[in-house]
């Protein structure tokens, strides 16, 4: 049996790091972990090929030579998925579709996808494989209960060209104990977090090490700290021991909730494990909007103190922010800017409020006739599938101005220096500087230091870090490169706003 696995392309978004990837000669930020996991269930006698369209072109011959095409995608990959499925339809090759996009929107693809895997795939694969072998494949394979991920095997890394990626990814848990109104994680992963064992995590880390990987690893968990006691008792001590015995070949990053700041022991253990970045859904400094979003874990915390405390333990706090809540006043754009700027949140992903399928917000707004179709999944396209309470033109214009201000070089480098000034450099051994990192630095001198709009700020931060805090010099270079990507994304938004104004005049 010949199986072609396809991961559709995603547009140039905030998290795509498209403009930054060329500095390190990489093609994509992260690999398609879902497909790599599902691939482990397929019989070894089957011929399996994976095409990540973010790294290589999908060839017609690849489709024609397949017995089945397996496709998995997220919402942001909807348009690319449609194009892939149409090609398969044209060549008469049956499509098996699974993952978040198809689980939440099977009706969107009802006329084009042959077979659906709805829900988590692990417990479904046995029946699907048997039916494929017997040529009796059913239209739908549905798993309503959440699976036991303690039985999930190590992803099939040998399907990848590791050199194409800036980071690898593994998963420790699924689900989140919180119930934010705008979030669909409850529908996709449940509100009772499920975890893998410490042995599973060490096996996955070891498998990447054995495959030759030596860079960063993203724990893709929606909330890594959903079960703090298990982390502190089993998983983190095992990671620390492994990292020490291998001289810290990896750095880790993940997503956490703001209550991370409440647990000094947890922060210390994660730092010792090699974690140096955490993404936190901060959303907004406005308490009324937080109440509206059912984000009570944030209301209970002093957000500024929590961010500063997390930073003091050696973590970069990457923040998620939202504008467009019903409670938002026109002053929200300045409030968001001041909050982000004053707290040194260098990487601030600001998006318009959207309602994904599966969220409480989606159902509420559908009942209020305030939905404008489906969300795009692109976090910086200035699009929303919600009819907002604020004047829509003012909302979009204010949003674009906010992003532009945040990633204006002067403002970006100012909060970068603010962060690096308080950043606690980890005390574990650093891996040797790679050739690609040296190349990235040289490219940054050329593109940013000589020809870039940020050249003045670029040299100021490098000079400051070299003489005042040399241990953060490499961080300063990395952030400068990230800043270039964010600036280009912001400029793209600004151009679209100018076109809108011109068209209206």
């Amino acid at each position: 049996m010949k199986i072609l696995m396809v991961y559709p392309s995603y547009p140039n978004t905030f998290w795509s790091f498209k403009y930054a990837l060329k500095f390190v000669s990489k093609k994509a930020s992260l690999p398609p972990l879902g497909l790599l996991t599902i691939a482990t269930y397929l019989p070894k006698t089957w011929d399996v090929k994976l095409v990540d369209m973010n790294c290589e072109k999908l060839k017609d011959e690849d489709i024609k030579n397949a017995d089945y095409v397996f496709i998995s995608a997220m919402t942001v990959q909807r348009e690319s998925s449609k194009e892939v499925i149409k090609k398969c339809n044209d060549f008469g090759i049956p499509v098996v579709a699974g993952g978040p996009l198809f689980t939440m929107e099977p009706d969107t693809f009802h006329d084009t996808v042959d077979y659906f895997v709805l829900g988590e795939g692990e417990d479904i694969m046995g029946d699907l494989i048997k039916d494929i072998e017997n040529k009796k494949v059913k239209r739908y394979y549905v798993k309503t209960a959440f699976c036991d991920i303690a039985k999930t095997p190590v992803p099939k890394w040998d399907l990848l060209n590791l050199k194409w990626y800036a980071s690898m990814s593994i998963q420790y848990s699924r689900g989140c104990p919180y119930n934010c109104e705008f979030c669909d994680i409850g529908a996709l992963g449940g509100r009772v977090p499920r975890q893998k064992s410490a042995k599973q995590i060490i096996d996955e880390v070891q498998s990447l090490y054995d495959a030759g990987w030596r860079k960063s690893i993203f724990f893709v968990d929606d909330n890594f700290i959903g079960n703090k006691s298990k982390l502190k008792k089993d998983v983190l001590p095992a990671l620390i021991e492994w990292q020490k015995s291998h001289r810290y070949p990896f750095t880790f990053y993940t997503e956490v909730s703001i209550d991370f700041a409440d647990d000094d022991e947890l922060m210390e253990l994660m730092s010792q494990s090699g974690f140096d970045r955490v993404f936190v859904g901060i959303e907004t400094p406005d308490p009324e909007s937080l109440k509206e979003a059912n984000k009570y874990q944030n209301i209970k915390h002093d957000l500024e103190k929590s961010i500063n405390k997390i930073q003091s333990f050696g973590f970069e706090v990457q923040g998620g922010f939202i504008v467009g809540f019903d409670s938002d006043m026109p002053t929200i754009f300045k409030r968001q800017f001041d909050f982000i700027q004053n707290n040194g949140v260098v990487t601030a992903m600001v998006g318009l409020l959207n309602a994904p399928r599966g969220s409480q917000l989606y159902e509420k707004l559908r009942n209020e006739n305030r939905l404008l179709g489906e969300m795009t999944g692109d976090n910086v396209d200035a699009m929303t599938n919600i009819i907002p309470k604020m004047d829509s033109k003012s909302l979009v214009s204010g949003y674009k101005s906010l992003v532009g201000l945040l990633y204006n070089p002067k403002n970006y480098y100012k909060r970068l220096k603010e962060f690096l000034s308080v950043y606690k450099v980890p005390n574990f051994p650093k891996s040797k500087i790679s050739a690609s990192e040296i190349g990235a630095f040289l490219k940054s001198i050329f593109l940013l230091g000589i020809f870039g709009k940020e050249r003045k700020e670029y040299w100021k931060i490098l000079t400051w870090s070299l003489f005042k805090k040399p241990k953060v010099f490499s961080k300063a270079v990395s952030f400068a490169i990230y800043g270039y990507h964010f600036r280009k994304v912001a400029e793209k938004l600004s151009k679209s706003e100018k076109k809108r104004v011109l068209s209206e005049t």
Side-chain angles (χ1 to χ4, degrees), residues 127-142:
D127 290 339
L128 176 61
I129 291 166
K130 182 176 66 176
D131 291 347
I132 288 177
E133 291 178 328
N134 294 329
K135 298 182 180 179
K136 294 181 178 179
V137 189
K138 295 188 283 288
R139 176 78 161 135
Y140 294 101
Y141 292 81
V142 183

Side-chain angles (χ1 to χ4, degrees), residues 240-264:
I240 292 170
E241 182 181 349
W242 188 93
Q243 287 269 61
K244 286 181 178 178
S245 66
H246 292 78
R247 293 191 57 77
Y248 284 84
F250 302 134
T251 56
F252 302 123
Y253 60 112
T254 191
E255 303 179 32
V256 300
S257 44
I258 196 66
D259 54 315
F260 182 48
D262 299 340
D263 198 321
D264 290 18

Side-chain angles (χ1 to χ4, degrees), residues 251-290:
T251 56
F252 302 123
Y253 60 112
T254 191
E255 303 179 32
V256 300
S257 44
I258 196 66
D259 54 315
F260 182 48
D262 299 340
D263 198 321
D264 290 18
E265 181 188 5
L266 179 59
M267 288 191 286
E268 185 61 37
L269 286 171
M270 282 183 61
S271 179
Q272 290 178 24
S273 300
F275 284 86
D276 63 358
R277 284 172 283 168
V278 290
F279 176 86
V280 183
I282 299 167
E283 320 312 356
T284 176
D286 189 316
E288 290 304 312
S289 294
L290 289 174

Side-chain angles (χ1 to χ4, degrees), residues 413-482:
Y413 279 87
K414 181 180 180 181
R415 67 177 184 276
L416 171 56
K417 185 179 179 182
E418 175 76 21
F419 166 69
L420 292 177
S421 298
V422 299
Y423 177 67
K424 174 186 172 185
V425 181
N427 56 12
F428 51 76
K430 287 289 186 181
S431 58
K432 293 181 180 179
I433 298 175
S434 66
S436 65
E437 289 171 326
I438 295 173
F441 176 48
L442 296 176
K443 289 177 183 177
S444 75
I445 292 175
F446 181 76
L447 289 173
L448 309 182
I450 299 176
F451 295 103
K453 292 182 179 179
E454 57 274 274
R455 55 186 177 273
K456 180 180 178 181
E457 286 76 16
Y458 171 87
W459 288 115
K460 282 171 63 177
I461 196 69
L462 291 197
T463 303
W464 171 85
S465 61
L466 190 61
F467 290 100
K468 296 291 185 179
K469 203 171 181 180
K471 288 185 177 181
V472 303
F473 183 80
S474 61
K475 277 277 186 187
V477 175
S478 296
F479 276 113
I481 292 171
Y482 295 150

